[in-house]
Every structure is written in structure tokens, then in C-alpha cells.
Amino acid sequence: MASFDGKEVLKEMLEAARVSLGDSVPKAYEYVEAELKKLAKEIAKVETNRIIGEIDHRIAQILTDSLINAAKTIGLTGKGIISVEAEKAINAALAVLKNAIKAVA
Amino acid sequence: MFPTPSILFIKSRFLLPLTLILLIALISGCSIKLISDYDELIDQYATELQSEIETFLIKMERLAGTTEGTYIKNIGFYEEIQGTLTTLALRAEMLDDNKIVAEQIALLQKNLENLRELHELQGEKGLSQELAEPMKVAFNTQFKAIIKLQNALKRGVKTTK
């Protein structure tokens, strides 16, 4: 029966997880950052319109609240994408472990 | 009182293989799921609603200051969209591990209510560009985010319809 090298298997599991993740997390971060910048610009425009009297305080409040809700939605997408990628990475690592154990058995 | 040599022999010979077999059985049936699957209905509705709300806002901006552009004349639109969002919210809540999507839809519902309130507050003025433009940005951002997440959830073969 072949021996089970725990250290080697762990190294392979981590590599499988790393390959699975690829550049998906940085890409998710880029998306979130780009969208939040757009919303920040829009919030600034709303504030400018309030200051120059184009819209009143209550209207500005509602508009800003809506843009903040949009920002929260983006955050949820970022969180969701990371959950998907984490799931794939963990399952890739588990597959390596399963194969390693099968090879020994 | 003490285990006989034959029992000890059996234990030492078969313990490791047995443990490995149990581990394989455990791990082979085991994969992690952290979030729900892709939902075609949610994806489809999000795309349709984005188009309907965008079209409505463009039209209201054009009709701002006219009777046709007032909240009273457009209550039906809000009722219709509210109904669709309620259906979506119920669907999202029904699916397993779908809390993130359910929260996204709840935020859409809040923004629809914000839009409704804005429109009502404006009375005869209707939805001018200063109001319509930020709301278009908010809604488009939300729908884009929802659809983007749904695309990410298409990670396996299984989908919910």
C-alpha cells in the first residue's frame, strides 16, 4: 500500500484551490470598485443640485438613499461572486484529497 | 480480560484500510455549497424589469410638467412593478442558500418605493431630469449587479427553472 504524504497532499490541495480561484477575486474587486466610483459621482451631482437649489433637501435625501441602495446591491454581488469562487476552490481541493486517499487505499 | 494476539493482529491489519475506506466514502459524497444555483426566472425578470423601468423613466422625463407625466396618471405602472417584485422576492426566499439574491430584490423594492414617493412629491412637475437621471443610474446599477451575480451562479450544470 502506498504511503499518504499529508504535507504533499496539502500542497497539492492548496495549488488546486489557487488555480481554481485564478484572477476571479481581483476581477470581482475591480467591478465593485468601478461601479462604486460611478455611484459616488452621481451622489456628488445630487448634492450639487441640492446646494444650487435645483432640488430640495427631501428629494436629495431620497435620491441619495436610492444610490446607496444600489451600492449595497453591488456589495452583495461582490459577496456572492466570492462565495461562488470559494466554493469552487474548496471543492477543487476536496477532489485532490479524495484522489490522494483513493491512491493510498 | 486482555485482547488475544489474534484480535490485536486483525485490528492492526485492517484499521488503516477501513479508516481510508470510510474517509473516501465520506469525501466522495461530500462537496461544499456556499450559495444558491443560477435561477433562470430571476435572470429573465431582472432583464425585463430593467427595460421597463428605464423606458418609464425616459418617458416620464419627456412628459415632466404635463398631466400625462404626473404620479396620478401613472399609478398603474408602480402597482404592476410592485407585483412583479413581490413575486420575485417570494421566489428568491423559496430557494435554498439564496439570502444574497433575496436581499438584492429587497433593495430593488426599496428603490421602487423611493421612485414612487419622489413622483408623488413632485405633483404637477413630474419627474424632471434632475430626478430621473440619478434614479436611472441607481436602477441600472442594481439590475446589472443582479444579472452579474446570476451569471456567476451558472457555475454548474444544474439550474433552477
Side-chain angles (χ1 to χ4, degrees), chain B residues 103-126:
Chain B
E103 284 178 33
Q104 288 184 318
I105 292 167
L107 287 165
L108 264 180
Q109 287 175 305
K110 284 184 182 175
N111 272 3
L112 182 72
E113 175 52 27
N114 279 349
L115 179 63
R116 193 207 62 75
E117 187 182 345
L118 276 176
H119 205 167
E120 193 175 20
L121 280 172
Q122 287 295 93
E124 286 171 5
K125 288 190 271 181

Side-chain angles (χ1 to χ4, degrees), chain A residues 21-94:
Chain A
L21 281 170
D23 62 354
S24 58
V25 173
K27 274 188 177 163
Y29 179 77
E30 275 169 27
Y31 154 74
V32 169
E33 193 184 33
E35 293 293 296
L36 288 179
K37 278 180 179 170
K38 283 185 212 167
L39 288 174
K41 274 188 186 166
E42 204 59 39
I43 290 172
K45 277 189 206 169
V46 167
E47 185 56 17
T48 301
N49 281 338
R50 185 193 68 79
I51 290 168
I52 66 176
E54 289 287 334
I55 57 177
D56 68 29
H57 177 74
R58 178 63 189 139
I59 299 287
Q61 232 177 5
I62 296 171
L63 290 174
T64 304
D65 183 60
S66 302
L67 291 163
I68 290 171
N69 286 338
K72 287 178 183 173
T73 310
I74 293 165
L76 287 167
T77 290
K79 193 172 156 184
I81 290 173
I82 286 169
S83 294
V84 170
E85 297 306 323
E87 181 191 289
K88 283 198 249 177
I90 292 167
N91 287 334
L94 279 176

